[in-house]
Amino acid sequence: MVKKEMIAMLLAGGQGSRLGVLTARMAKPAVSFGGKYRIIDFPLSNCINSGIDTVGVLTQYQPLRLNSHIGIGIPWDLDRNVGGVTVLPPYEKISNTEWYTGTANAIYQNMEYMESYHPDYVLILSGDHIYKMDYEQMLFYHKKSGADVTIAVMPVPMEEAKRFGIMITDGSGRIVDFEEKPENPRSNLASMGIYIFSRDALRRSLSENARQSGLDFGKHVIPWCKKAGYALYAWEFEGYWKDVGTLTSYWQANMELIDIVPEFNLYEEYWKIYTKSLPQPPQYFGRDARIERSIIGEGAEIYGDVEGSVIGCGVHIGEGARVRNSILMNDCVIGKGCELDKVIAAEEVHIGDNVRIGAFEERDNETDPHIYCDGLCTIGEGSVIPDGVTIGKNVMIFGQTAATDYPHGELASGRTLSRM
């Protein structure tokens, strides 16, 4: 009989709609981050660094890119004969076939996978956060406290607490009450969406709530466990953790990597982040290139100026171009004489010569002001921008655009331009 002390279930099927056009063709965990990684690399690396060698990855929305990236788990040493990484999409059953309708519903539909390893504990993770965490420490706390369910929490500013599931604890760390996005929070201990369940507690709580519409851990399972008398404990995490669920938070998290003393350090030897990397030539900086406080991916060719930016693998930046405060994902091409400021360009974007992006006064975006905001210009994967145009702030561009899409050679702030 195969027996694992703890396995991980990694929820990676989210659409990530608040990342706008960046997730038009891929799930949020597959979005590039930090010049060479994808978001899912962080929880996967945490697992293997924590000694967890059995991980089920639950996918649903636009899974092709994510599945291709994970493969059989070689970069994370998860290509195992027993255990390893397994991609778990929804599948057709004899009866009650359905998509994953909530976080807990996705886990419930894969009970057979979990039971095949007879785990004592199951670790539930989200695939769209940036952090480094030793799950062994959390498991040690779970055992020591005698918990049935342990929830990773971290303090947040009190004024932001209403955005999270909030835990109220006693002096021992035991959770005495739970509030899901309260208007008047009584605590600032926010759930990180990371749980350890003892096997029986998970099995029973999911079975008892299986018919709940949109079965979710925060809304349904955790409150039910509390009412059922299970011992719930909060484990306080003290490191860096970022939910990159919006374009602004995604941009900020990338910019934090290039601080003089980065709050989140990618260069630590003892806790590496692993990823699938294609063979790339070395970086090349031209004679007049100038690089300041930036991350530059392998295979990039830089002939202009780059400052305070994250540049992905295989990016080409032409002579006389100036890139500031921007994220350029893999294989982007930036023409000669361009000026880019606060741009997020997805993979394989082609920008012509003498293009200026980040101009004009800031205005609200005309279609999705809550997504495309804070002065950012977001360009979708594979988009083309012609020579000589000027583009404003809070703009979204997607598709192969032509000069005729830019009246008088301009696209004003707040505009949405899609040619798909």
Side-chain angles (χ1 to χ4, degrees):
M1 180 182 74
V2 176
K3 179 78 171 70
K4 299 283 184 179
E5 182 183 30
M6 184 164 76
I7 66 170
M9 300 294 283
L10 179 51
L11 296 160
Q15 179 178 356
S17 58
R18 292 180 299 162
L19 287 181
V21 72
L22 296 187
T23 54
R25 293 176 175 171
M26 68 182 77
K28 178 178 169 183
V31 172
S32 297
F33 183 85
K36 66 174 293 181
Y37 305 101
R38 297 188 185 272
I39 294 172
I40 198 170
D41 292 334
F42 294 87
L44 282 175
S45 297
N46 288 339
C47 284
I48 199 63
N49 288 334
S50 301
I52 299 171
D53 65 4
T54 304
V55 184
V57 180
L58 288 75
T59 64
Q60 179 160 284
Y61 172 79
Q62 295 277 28
L64 179 61
R65 196 76 56 86
L66 190 62
N67 294 352
S68 176
H69 180 69
I70 294 171
I72 60 172
I74 292 174
W76 306 273
D77 192 27
L78 288 171
D79 51 328
R80 306 293 181 97
N81 289 329
V82 179
V85 66
T86 304
V87 175
L88 301 168
Y91 59 94
E92 188 171 357
K93 309 169 188 67
I94 294 175
S95 61
N96 299 322
T97 294
E98 61 179 350
W99 292 103
Y100 298 149
T101 60
T103 56
N105 174 266
I107 300 297
Y108 175 72
Q109 290 197 46
N110 288 281
M111 288 289 290
E112 184 177 354
Y113 167 81
M114 291 185 289
E115 291 294 328
S116 68
Y117 292 103
H118 301 89
D120 298 317
Y121 310 100
V122 178
L123 172 68
I124 312 293
L125 303 171
S126 173
D128 51 12
H129 298 152
I130 305 299
Y131 66 111
K132 297 178 182 179
M133 180 185 287
D134 187 348
Y135 303 131
E136 281 190 313
Q137 293 183 10
M138 186 176 174
L139 179 59
F140 177 79
Y141 176 87
H142 181 87
K143 294 177 181 177
K144 184 179 178 181
S145 62
D148 296 303
V149 184
T150 297
I151 302 172
V153 299
M154 66 183 306
V156 298
M158 205 66 184
E159 59 272 18
E160 296 182 18
K162 62 183 179 181
R163 296 174 42 230
F164 298 91
I166 295 298
M167 310 294 151
I168 295 92
T169 62
D170 62 17
S172 69
R174 184 162 185 152
I175 297 170
V176 297
D177 205 356
F178 174 85
E179 300 174 327
E180 179 69 14
K181 298 182 180 179
E183 279 300 317
N184 298 297
R186 292 180 285 153
S187 164
N188 70 334
L189 288 179
S191 169
M192 299 170 67
I194 300 170
Y195 315 102
I196 290 180
F197 280 80
S198 295
R199 179 183 176 186
D200 290 341
L202 179 63
R203 185 165 46 187
R204 184 181 169 212
S205 62
L206 292 179
S207 298
E208 291 289 335
N209 292 277
R211 296 186 179 181
Q212 185 75 249
S213 176
L215 184 60
D216 181 84
F217 281 104
K219 293 180 182 178
H220 306 117
V221 174
I222 300 302
W224 183 90
C225 287
K226 180 71 179 62
K227 291 179 181 178
Y230 283 109
L232 275 61
Y233 279 80
W235 179 69
E236 189 168 336
F237 177 63
E238 298 178 350
Y240 177 97
W241 177 82
K242 179 78 84 172
D243 180 353
V244 288
T246 66
L247 285 172
T248 298
S249 63
Y250 173 80
W251 178 81
Q252 289 173 341
N254 275 274
M255 294 299 104
E256 287 169 354
L257 298 176
I258 55 177
D259 287 341
I260 295 174
V261 181
E263 189 176 354
F264 186 69
N265 190 352
L266 289 173
Y267 303 97
E268 292 173 328
E269 183 66 26
Y270 72 92
W271 199 272
K272 292 182 178 180
I273 304 300
Y274 303 96
T275 189
K276 176 183 177 181
S277 296
L278 297 175
Q280 293 274 8
Q283 305 154 338
Y284 178 79
F285 303 150
R287 180 181 59 187
D288 298 322
R290 187 179 70 88
I291 316 296
E292 182 180 330
R293 199 173 53 83
S294 297
I295 290 174
I296 311 293
E298 296 115 324
E301 295 183 39
I302 313 294
Y303 298 92
D305 293 355
V306 178
E307 180 182 337
S309 297
V310 175
I311 308 300
C313 301
V315 170
H316 180 104
I317 297 177
E319 295 177 1
R322 302 177 64 193
V323 178
R324 305 282 184 272
N325 310 310
S326 296
I327 302 166
L328 305 181
M329 300 184 196
N330 297 351
D331 301 316
C332 286
V333 176
I334 312 301
K336 298 177 181 179
C338 291
E339 292 188 26
L340 277 59
D341 189 18
K342 294 190 75 172
V343 173
I344 301 177
E347 298 174 28
E348 299 182 354
V349 165
H350 284 240
I351 297 176
D353 295 339
N354 302 309
V355 172
R356 184 183 176 198
I357 305 179
F360 312 134
E361 291 295 319
E362 188 171 338
R363 293 180 181 175
D364 289 345
N365 183 266
E366 61 190 0
T367 54
D368 293 294
H370 61 293
I371 294 177
Y372 305 107
C373 55
D374 294 306
L376 296 166
C377 177
T378 309
I379 307 171
E381 181 180 359
S383 296
V384 175
I385 296 175
D387 295 345
V389 300
T390 301
I391 298 167
K393 302 175 176 68
N394 297 335
V395 165
M396 187 279 277
I397 299 172
F398 193 22
Q400 298 194 16
T401 65
T404 53
D405 295 313
Y406 302 83
H408 310 293
E410 296 180 352
L411 187 67
S413 292
R415 295 296 306 278
T416 293
L417 174 58
S418 180
R419 290 291 178 263
M420 294 302 295

